[in-house]
Amino acid sequence: GAGLIGNVAGAADDLEPNSLEDIRSYNNYYEFGTGKSDPAENAGALDTSNWTIKVGGMVDNPGEYTLDELVGDLTQEERIYRFRCVEAWSMVVPWNGVELADVLNKVGVQSGGNYVAFETVVQPENMPGVRRNVIPFPYKEGLRMDEAMHPLTMLATGIYGEPLANQNGAPIRLVVPWKYGFKSIKSIVSINVVAEQPETTWKDINFREYGFFANVNPNVSHPRWSQATERVIGGGLFSARKDTLLYNGYDEVASLYEGMDPNALY
Amino acid sequence: MSVADHINRVSRRIPPWTIYIAALAWAGWLFWLGLSGNLGPEPINALEREYGSIALKLLIAGLCVTPLRTYFGVNLLRFRRQIGLSAFFFVVAHFSVWALLDVQSFGRVWTEIVKRPYVTVGMAALVMLIPLALTSNNASIRKLGKNWRRLHWLTYPIAVLAGIHYVWLVKGFPWEPFIYMAIIVVLLALRFLPKRKKSASKRSGQPQSAR
């Protein structure tokens, strides 16, 4: 793991993080509306008190964990990651949190547990997007076990050393920097270790447009727009587009997908 | 005095060219908001969407003129050219922001137009608006005669294409694009419904023996 962490730090050297204001004001969180400013406007209503995460499936220690019980005793990390949305925009976020692998090792993954499935909280009374049914809820995401165990993958609880704002997925969210942003599920209330590839929201809505892997890949277009370049958030009205990097620049994950058709990995 | 009379009386005092001033000021104000960081941390897409949304609203406003007169006695006919040309202006602004500030390369602009159906549809609407904009003057109306009406019938397919363009670009099922599409469909249906009724009653009024 140490070598990989070294690479992470190396990759982070040239990254200039976006301002906290940018990170908190430009979000996709459809439970609070489909506009980019809707989450910042509406997410204040999210109730994050007495938060528990239900851990289940093929694990040794299932149960309802408080935030502190789940991650309080694990090594806290600060990771500056590129964040690339499937909509072809990107920002740089300094996350605080723990490696998902540490959480999974703590709860004990049983053999045959090939995938991890996550779910976002549903609070219809506090979430206008849920009442409007813009997409099916609860929002679901998943990772293959080797992806979940990769040292780059983290469960974040903060940004810039401050607790996550609700619109950023408070109090705890997934961060998988080499995948399109929709994989990095927010406000997690359920973690399940399962044998088969779980349901994932966007793929279930439209499998032609969104895959399970959803690795950042400039060579495979979204059917409705190109993924070759990205708009950089925070650069103003005349900011230049940037070339998108395979795996969002995190080449160390390439070995996870050896032998698979790269065109199937969008 | 009825509400319609009141609107008609007030609107008669407004010179139609004020709509051009308002459109220019509105577009300029939005551009300034984008420039000064008041359209959020990603102003390019925000401005693109603002201009596109205003263009669609103005297209719909143009389609409302006739039914407003037919069903409510509100006569805004003298503003229709200004509404239509302002819609064209915002479509061009929408396209320019997309091409110059967003896509940033002529090669990619062409690729997008050819490869992405929702862009193709939007582009088709823009191209069809060009002859309408060019003939939105008194000289063209005189010169083209009956053909002017035929040509400007294009506003109907343009509105439908613009509605599809919006529905097609969103993710999930937000309400807005579908509401716009429904309004466009209703406004077009109003064109055809009364006519069919009239011709049907005429036909039924004819004695069968006349055939």
Side-chain angles (χ1 to χ4, degrees):
Chain A
L4 278 162
I5 301 305
N7 283 344
V8 174
D13 278 348
D14 58 335
L15 292 180
E16 182 67 42
N18 279 80
S19 69
L20 188 58
E21 195 197 341
D22 283 1
I23 296 167
R24 287 185 171 175
S25 58
Y26 196 79
N27 309 102
N28 276 326
Y29 196 158
Y30 276 21
E31 284 83 340
F32 295 105
T34 53
K36 293 289 176 291
S37 56
D38 289 346
E41 281 161 28
N42 300 329
L46 180 73
D47 182 7
T48 56
S49 59
N50 306 316
W51 197 270
T52 57
I53 300 113
K54 203 173 169 181
V55 179
M58 304 164 79
V59 294
D60 297 328
N61 308 306
E64 294 245 359
Y65 290 77
T66 65
L67 210 54
D68 194 48
E69 287 166 349
L70 193 69
V71 301
D73 57 338
L74 301 175
T75 311
Q76 288 292 317
E77 305 269 347
E78 197 208 21
R79 302 275 178 87
I80 301 172
Y81 283 158
R82 280 180 285 273
F83 183 93
R84 170 61 159 80
C85 178
V86 73
E87 295 166 342
W89 54 263
S90 67
M91 42 170 92
V92 176
V93 184
W95 302 102
N96 311 100
V98 300
E99 287 187 14
L100 176 60
D102 288 349
V103 174
L104 291 172
N105 288 331
K106 186 161 115 180
V107 299
V109 175
Q110 297 176 343
S111 72
N114 299 322
Y115 291 89
V116 188
F118 304 88
E119 278 185 26
T120 294
V121 70
V122 182
Q123 295 176 0
E125 68 281 13
N126 300 330
M127 295 176 145
V130 169
R131 296 197 295 271
R132 285 176 51 164
N133 275 313
V134 283
I135 53 172
F137 298 108
Y139 190 82
K140 295 173 185 180
E141 260 309 334
L143 295 172
R144 209 170 58 187
M145 191 54 72
D146 58 345
E147 299 175 321
M149 287 292 191
H150 196 279
L152 282 175
T153 307
M154 64 189 297
L155 284 179
T157 50
I159 293 173
Y160 272 115
E162 291 189 34
L164 288 178
N166 290 353
Q167 62 268 31
N168 291 124
I172 187 164
R173 66 170 291 167
L174 184 67
V175 179
V176 196
W178 71 93
K179 294 177 179 287
Y180 292 123
F182 69 86
K183 293 294 292 183
S184 293
I185 185 169
K186 299 188 177 85
S187 307
I188 297 169
V189 288
S190 155
I191 301 176
N192 259 302
V193 174
V194 294
E196 305 290 330
Q197 183 177 306
E199 289 180 3
T200 53
T201 297
W202 281 106
K203 175 173 168 278
D204 289 354
I205 292 172
N206 193 341
F207 68 91
R208 281 184 300 271
E209 298 196 343
Y210 311 97
F212 175 79
F213 289 101
N215 293 327
V216 175
N217 187 344
N219 307 313
V220 178
S221 287
H222 182 283
R224 288 183 284 157
W225 55 82
S226 166
Q227 296 290 23
T229 60
E230 61 204 46
R231 262 193 314 261
V232 182
I233 304 299
L237 204 48
F238 301 109
S239 94
R241 288 187 90 93
K242 209 180 86 178
D243 285 338
T244 290
L245 303 167
L246 183 63
Y247 300 119
N248 206 20
Y250 299 96
D251 297 329
E252 57 263 54
V253 300
S255 59
L256 299 181
Y257 308 103
E258 261 167 31
M260 290 180 70
D261 175 7
N263 291 338
L265 294 173
Y266 62 90
Chain B
M1 194 166 64
S2 75
V3 178
D5 290 337
H6 191 72
I7 294 173
N8 290 340
R9 215 173 54 127
V10 171
S11 72
R12 229 169 281 139
R13 272 187 251 138
I14 302 171
W17 54 261
T18 52
I19 291 185
Y20 294 138
I21 305 292
L24 278 171
W26 198 1
W29 170 244
L30 285 170
F31 195 86
W32 166 250
L33 286 183
L35 211 55
S36 57
N38 289 300
L39 285 184
E42 207 293 82
I44 300 170
N45 194 253
L47 192 63
E48 200 175 304
R49 282 175 180 259
E50 289 284 350
Y51 284 166
S53 161
I54 294 169
L56 186 60
K57 285 175 186 133
L58 285 170
L59 281 175
I60 289 173
L63 286 177
C64 286
V65 170
T66 299
L68 274 178
R69 196 168 61 142
T70 316
Y71 297 100
F72 301 101
V74 176
N75 189 355
L76 300 175
L77 205 60
R78 54 199 286 272
F79 299 104
R80 193 161 64 176
R81 175 185 299 169
Q82 287 72 19
I83 294 172
L85 282 172
S86 299
F88 177 69
F89 166 68
F90 274 101
V91 169
V92 171
H94 171 64
F95 170 80
S96 305
V97 171
W98 173 74
L100 300 174
L101 300 183
D102 187 347
V103 183
Q104 299 176 3
S105 124
F106 286 109
R108 282 202 299 259
V109 163
W110 180 247
T111 314
E112 292 288 295
I113 291 171
V114 176
K115 272 181 79 174
R116 317 282 168 210
Y118 87 90
V119 181
T120 315
V121 161
M123 201 59 216
L126 190 160
V127 169
M128 286 159 78
L129 271 169
I130 294 171
L132 304 197
L134 291 177
T135 56
S136 285
N137 53 71
N138 294 340
S140 295
I141 294 174
R142 272 196 302 273
K143 209 168 142 195
L144 289 170
K146 252 189 192 160
N147 287 330
W148 189 90
R149 284 186 72 104
R150 279 188 202 138
L151 179 65
H152 281 249
W153 185 86
L154 276 178
T155 44
Y156 303 150
I158 286 167
V160 172
L161 289 174
I164 292 172
H165 174 66
Y166 187 18
V167 166
W168 214 334
L169 72 88
V170 297
K171 291 161 59 203
F173 306 99
W175 288 354
E176 293 88 349
F178 296 96
I179 291 172
Y180 278 105
M181 198 68 216
I183 293 171
I184 290 166
V185 168
V186 167
L187 285 170
L188 295 200
L190 286 175
R191 261 74 183 179
F192 298 105
L193 281 178
K195 257 187 218 154
R196 205 187 294 151
K197 223 185 248 168
K198 218 184 268 169
S199 61
S201 64
K202 219 184 269 170
R203 212 174 292 141
S204 67
Q206 285 170 349
Q208 289 294 313
S209 58
R211 290 175 77 218

